[in-house]
Amino acid sequence: MGQKTIWILGIVAFVWGMLTLYVEKAGPKQAVSFGNPNARKHVLIVYDPDPLYNLDEQVCQNLAQGLAKANCYVEVQSVAVAREEMNKTFDLYVFCANTYNWSPDWVLVGYINRHPHLENQPVVAITLGGGSTARSQRLLEKKILRKKAKLLAIKSLWLWRPNDENRMTESNVKVAVSIAHDWGIALATEL
């Protein structure tokens, strides 16, 4: 391997590392709620905002709207907010993980690892990514199961890969948020 090749590989590795650190850093505090606070079922949706795309935020809020439409009260919180409220309990926890380097984002995984109330609690998980989320989904599932939570369902949604082969003319983002909304209604009926 020549010196020029080593320099190029070094530069690529440096840029890749810096980009990884940028996207993996904890996002800002964000919180929004949907539905009636007096509803019988309370749901917490947690995500760490992606600094490049906001697919995670859109998916979480549309999932929340679907759950609220089916008579649940839903709090959508970034990890920065959810960390401060770990002592609250919910009827369902939803974790939405961005995929970076074929793995779920570090901040959300750290939140799950530190959460004190997940044992025997119903959990749903979502992995988001450009289109390669299989490994990320497996790792996220393992993290949740290690906490002895009851994993009810796990789903992947993509930014670039088709989310529904029957809706190829629509934007992947629009399809993803539509799927999330409909899934929220379906999940609420199972609670």
Side-chain angles (χ1 to χ4, degrees):
M1 199 179 314
Q3 189 173 8
K4 188 175 183 180
T5 304
I6 291 172
W7 272 100
I8 291 170
L9 290 175
I11 291 169
V12 168
F14 176 77
V15 170
W16 188 281
M18 295 307 293
L19 184 58
T20 297
L21 292 175
Y22 175 68
V23 297
E24 291 280 11
K25 71 180 172 58
K29 290 184 176 184
Q30 296 178 342
V32 63
S33 59
F34 298 86
N36 182 347
N38 296 320
R40 286 185 359 167
K41 298 294 181 179
H42 287 228
V43 179
L44 174 65
I45 300 176
V46 181
Y47 72 104
D48 189 47
D50 184 309
L52 303 175
Y53 303 102
N54 74 339
L55 180 62
D56 49 3
E57 181 180 358
Q58 292 179 67
V59 164
C60 290
Q61 289 187 8
N62 277 273
L63 180 70
Q65 289 170 2
L67 285 158
K69 195 177 277 186
N71 300 318
C72 291
Y73 176 68
V74 187
E75 294 183 31
V76 179
Q77 300 177 352
S78 65
V79 173
V81 173
R83 278 185 190 142
E84 297 172 357
E85 300 183 7
M86 274 198 195
N87 289 325
K88 289 174 72 176
T89 57
F90 293 85
D91 298 298
L92 175 67
Y93 295 86
V94 179
F95 300 121
C96 182
N98 289 300
T99 298
Y100 304 120
N101 297 323
W102 303 277
S103 299
D105 59 88
W106 300 340
V107 175
L108 185 75
V109 168
Y111 173 81
I112 292 168
N113 286 339
R114 287 187 290 281
H115 200 289
H117 303 296
L118 292 180
E119 188 170 336
N120 296 318
Q121 296 302 310
V123 171
V124 169
I126 303 169
T127 52
L128 302 174
S132 180
T133 55
R135 181 175 183 272
S136 180
Q137 184 172 325
R138 283 193 311 275
L139 294 174
L140 183 60
E141 184 174 348
K142 283 181 185 177
K143 293 286 182 191
I144 292 167
L145 293 176
R146 276 194 199 122
K147 292 295 287 187
K148 298 182 179 162
K150 292 186 245 176
L151 184 60
L152 304 179
I154 190 164
K155 182 182 285 291
S156 285
L157 295 169
W158 304 291
L159 188 61
W160 300 314
R161 191 168 137 193
N163 286 301
D164 184 341
E165 298 288 335
N166 297 319
R167 298 169 68 180
M168 298 289 283
T169 59
E170 294 178 64
S171 149
N172 278 341
V173 172
K174 286 183 181 178
V175 174
V177 298
S178 170
I179 288 169
H181 181 270
D182 294 347
W183 195 34
I185 295 170
L187 286 172
T189 60
E190 295 173 18
L191 286 179

